[in-house]
Amino acid sequence: GQQLNQSPQSMFIQEGEDVSMNCTSSSIFNTWLWYKQDPGEGPVLLIALYKAGELTSNGRLTAQFGTTRKDSFLNISASIPSDVGIYFCAGPENTGNQFYFGTGTSLTVIP
Amino acid sequence: SAVISQKPSRDICQRGTSLTIQCQVDSQVTMMFWYRQQPGQSLTLIATANQGSEATYESGFVIDKFPISRPNLTFSTLTVSNMSPEDSSIYLCSVRMENTIYFGEGSWLTVV
């Protein structure tokens, strides 16, 4: 199956700092999705991207659809303790019927 | 978006038993999926639940171990059969709507 690699694997940051993470695929995608998962819960959709170069914001979160269509980036500005969790990227396989998920980035925010 | 409810949310199961997880969606959807997330891991697709026909399983997953029902466009079940400790995972129901995937809150199974 498709391999989606996320970087970094984990981050430990001070409250108030900005966060950047990225996701790369081995093939071209026409959709990128970013999710956050709290412990013991299902993933919650943060941002959906549908066009190369697209830059979309959701509050303090901003995600970009890379121009090569093989990568995407998620930034969080002025982090707060409730940003703690695991962030996953996802993209569709060829038929678009199902989605592959990245390896995840674990974020810890130190108050 | 969709509101997806899963039951049970958590359970502790005995080795060798089977458990059925239910997934209810608040609207009719064509595509429903079941994912597994083992501790500390990413999400792995088990199968696509097809309404009115057999589920389509991914490599490494078989119907005998993970039978799936999809009696209508708002409901599906996943059974984890003959459980072993390796089956301890979060099992997630999801639906596809408008080129986006939405998830239920998950069913956390611990097999002892």
Side-chain angles (χ1 to χ4, degrees):
Chain A
Q2 180 61 259
Q3 188 82 12
L4 295 184
N5 294 309
Q6 283 185 245
S7 177
Q9 184 176 2
S10 61
M11 304 179 73
F12 294 81
I13 62 167
Q14 293 285 336
E15 183 177 358
E17 289 183 357
D18 296 343
V19 173
S20 291
M21 61 187 77
N22 68 73
C23 186
T24 59
S25 70
S26 55
S27 59
I28 290 172
F29 281 171
N30 55 27
T31 300
W32 283 99
L33 307 175
W34 283 95
Y35 293 84
K36 177 176 183 264
Q37 185 177 29
D38 291 327
E41 311 257 335
V44 174
L45 182 69
L46 299 173
I47 293 178
L49 302 164
Y50 300 112
K51 197 163 56 173
E54 180 180 356
L55 187 71
T56 298
S57 293
N58 177 6
R60 292 178 296 105
L61 278 63
T62 302
Q64 182 160 24
F65 194 140
T67 52
T68 67
R69 296 173 62 190
K70 290 186 176 183
D71 55 8
S72 180
F73 309 90
L74 178 69
N75 297 312
I76 305 172
S77 62
S79 59
I80 59 178
S82 62
D83 291 333
V84 166
I86 302 178
Y87 292 80
F88 290 102
C89 62
E93 53 85 45
N94 290 340
T95 67
N97 289 333
Q98 53 179 272
F99 282 73
Y100 297 107
F101 281 78
T103 47
T105 293
S106 174
L107 178 63
T108 301
V109 179
I110 303 167
Chain B
S1 65
V3 177
I4 305 167
S5 303
Q6 282 187 237
K7 288 194 298 188
S9 56
R10 288 176 180 264
D11 209 338
I12 298 174
C13 309
Q14 294 293 322
R15 188 191 303 242
T17 63
S18 300
L19 182 81
T20 296
I21 303 167
Q22 298 180 3
C23 177
Q24 180 75 51
V25 188
D26 69 341
S27 57
Q28 293 187 337
V29 291
T30 302
M31 309 206 74
M32 291 181 74
F33 308 94
W34 287 97
Y35 284 82
R36 181 175 74 180
Q37 186 179 28
Q38 294 177 303
Q41 303 292 314
S42 185
L43 288 77
T44 301
L45 182 64
I46 297 172
T48 302
N50 303 308
Q51 196 265 332
S53 64
E54 245 180 43
T56 304
Y57 289 83
E58 295 300 301
S59 175
F61 298 97
V62 295
I63 188 171
D64 290 346
K65 175 67 175 177
F66 298 101
I68 289 171
S69 78
R70 179 85 193 273
N72 56 53
L73 292 176
T74 64
F75 187 78
S76 178
T77 67
L78 169 75
T79 299
V80 187
S81 304
N82 188 24
M83 285 185 282
S84 66
E86 292 72 35
D87 294 320
S88 297
S89 295
I90 301 175
Y91 291 87
L92 294 152
C93 171
S94 70
V95 302
R96 183 181 172 198
M97 297 180 74
E98 298 174 354
N99 211 24
T100 302
I101 297 283
Y102 298 95
F103 286 90
E105 60 272 25
S107 298
W108 193 318
L109 303 187
T110 301
V111 184
V112 298

